[in-house]
Amino acid sequence: MSTTLFSLAFGVGTQNRQGTWLEVFYAQPLLNPASELVAKVVAQLGYQGGNQTIALSNSQASDLAEALKNVDTTQAALLTRLAESQKPLVATLLAEDAPLTSTPEAYLKLHLLSHRLVKPHGLNLTGIFPLLPNVAWTNQGAIDLAELAERQLEARLKGYLLEVSSVDKFPKMTDYVVPAGVRIADSARIRLGAYVGEGTTVMHEGFVNFNAGTAGPGMIEGRVSAGVFVGKGSDLGGGCSTMGTLSGGGNIVISVGEGCLIGANAGIGIPLGDRNTVESGLYLTAGTKVALLDADNNLVKVLKARELAGQPDLLFRRNSQSGAVECKTHKSAIELNEALHAHN
């Protein structure tokens, strides 16, 4: 049996009355765990290979804690705490980064992103949506929607309110992990699976989806959609949006380089290079016709925005008289045009 795993985590979660997983919390997920640790876990759990989720009893968690005492004190301490749980426990072992097959696997990969162990689009998330049940997120945790009405009545009869903060497939990230060195004005706007880099500030209207995020430091005042990764020192203005999408196989990645500014109510559908600026209110799709200007504001050529993807030091703006989308660069537009031509 191989002692190499892609990821390993011990979790505690919530199941409905039929024993179906609603969510799983992994306090200390591991990426590429040490072979000595894996060997002990394999021996204790009878793991036979592949990607598996194995239900843990409290006694098994306690035995695992004892077995890992001289191998990994952090995981041993966690298992000692888990052995006291009154909620269901699970060990999730991923031999490879393959398409998802269970809810605990899906939650493990979302944790790997929010713990900053893997950057957006660094994981295979194929099949994630059917594996994430749509649940009520309440002040008593996740509740199956079919069981919600009864739980609400039960709470009222006992004299308290069962508060439902959202009904969604994804919980908010901060109920599972709060990354170091961040400021988040409204935690409900950051989904589990978001990558929020150190030094990032997310203002009240900022939103970061799963499998998206920012390297930090930077300011997020708009929406960072799935498929978007923002570089260091960038500022996404209020109301700005991005057009990255996530699909099984052939993911579209919209990256934003370092030191970029995307103005209020602006949007992008192309990757940006370093130090790009997109004027407020300008929605730049891949097919947008862009007038490339030289240093004297003379037209060099008209091209589609995708041809400028990833280029540094660009300013995208709309001509206030003609309405045409224009692009200027700190470099010679002629040199940029030659570089694009050579690349093609």
Side-chain angles (χ1 to χ4, degrees):
M1 173 62 62
S2 173
T3 57
T4 300
L5 287 178
F6 173 73
S7 183
L8 167 67
F10 306 108
V12 55
T14 306
Q15 296 176 333
N16 65 11
R17 290 170 182 165
Q18 286 71 48
T20 301
W21 286 103
L22 301 181
E23 58 84 41
V24 183
F25 171 68
Y26 299 103
Q28 294 161 357
L30 297 173
L31 184 69
N32 302 317
S35 58
E36 187 179 4
L37 169 63
V38 174
K40 292 288 187 180
V41 174
V42 167
Q44 288 289 320
L45 299 183
Y47 168 71
Q48 296 298 312
N51 291 358
Q52 286 191 33
T53 57
I54 302 173
L56 284 180
S57 66
N58 293 65
S59 60
Q60 284 177 307
S62 181
D63 291 343
L64 260 176
E66 183 65 27
L68 298 181
K69 200 183 312 184
N70 297 321
V71 176
D72 188 320
T73 56
T74 301
Q75 294 296 317
L78 171 62
L79 284 159
T80 298
R81 298 296 305 277
L82 292 178
E84 304 168 357
S85 175
Q86 297 180 14
K87 302 281 283 184
L89 305 176
V90 65
T92 302
L93 300 88
L94 303 183
E96 59 180 339
D97 182 23
L100 297 163
T101 61
S102 70
T103 299
E105 286 181 28
Y107 267 85
L108 174 51
K109 289 193 174 181
L110 293 177
H111 277 73
L112 291 175
L113 287 160
S114 289
H115 277 267
R116 300 177 185 155
L117 295 174
V118 182
K119 290 183 178 179
H121 283 274
L123 292 170
N124 187 339
L125 298 179
T126 302
I128 190 170
F129 288 103
L131 294 172
L132 295 177
N134 194 32
V135 302
W137 300 100
T138 78
N139 57 335
Q140 292 185 15
I143 298 178
D144 190 305
L145 292 177
E147 301 170 5
L148 179 61
E150 183 178 343
R151 292 282 296 271
Q152 288 175 316
L153 175 60
E154 180 183 337
R156 293 283 183 166
L157 294 175
K158 292 181 179 179
Y160 62 87
L161 175 68
L162 177 64
E163 181 179 351
V164 179
S165 57
S166 69
V167 177
D168 196 5
K169 287 178 173 290
F170 293 84
K172 59 184 180 181
M173 180 188 73
T174 53
D175 283 348
Y176 292 78
V177 55
V178 179
V182 304
R183 293 169 54 205
I184 299 173
D186 184 352
S187 61
R189 299 181 66 84
I190 315 296
R191 276 176 155 182
L192 181 64
Y195 183 110
V196 185
E198 187 165 2
T200 298
T201 295
V202 185
M203 298 303 289
H204 292 81
E205 294 304 316
F207 171 79
V208 186
N209 209 341
F210 82 103
N211 205 30
T214 169
M219 176 78 74
I220 304 297
E221 298 183 77
R223 177 169 60 89
V224 183
S225 303
V228 179
F229 191 61
V230 182
K232 295 180 180 179
S234 294
D235 186 351
L236 273 67
C240 93
S241 61
T242 49
M243 296 176 58
T245 60
L246 175 71
S247 58
N251 293 337
I252 299 173
V253 184
I254 305 295
S255 60
V256 179
E258 297 185 6
C260 291
L261 172 61
I262 302 177
N265 299 307
I268 59 170
I270 63 170
L272 297 183
D274 295 341
R275 300 172 300 279
N276 277 209
T277 298
V278 180
E279 181 184 66
S280 296
L282 175 59
Y283 217 102
L284 192 69
T285 69
T288 300
K289 294 291 184 65
V290 179
L292 189 63
L293 306 179
D294 64 17
D296 298 319
N297 291 326
N298 296 314
L299 177 65
V300 175
K301 69 177 296 187
V302 176
L303 57 143
K304 292 184 177 180
R306 66 169 62 93
E307 298 179 63
L308 296 168
Q311 296 292 330
D313 301 298
L314 300 181
L315 165 64
F316 294 95
R317 68 188 187 189
R318 191 176 292 279
N319 187 292
S320 60
Q321 293 182 319
S322 68
V325 177
E326 300 174 338
C327 176
K328 291 197 67 174
T329 174
H330 296 302
K331 298 179 180 179
S332 165
I334 299 295
E335 291 176 357
L336 176 59
N337 185 41
E338 290 175 350
L340 288 171
H341 181 74
H343 182 267
N344 294 332

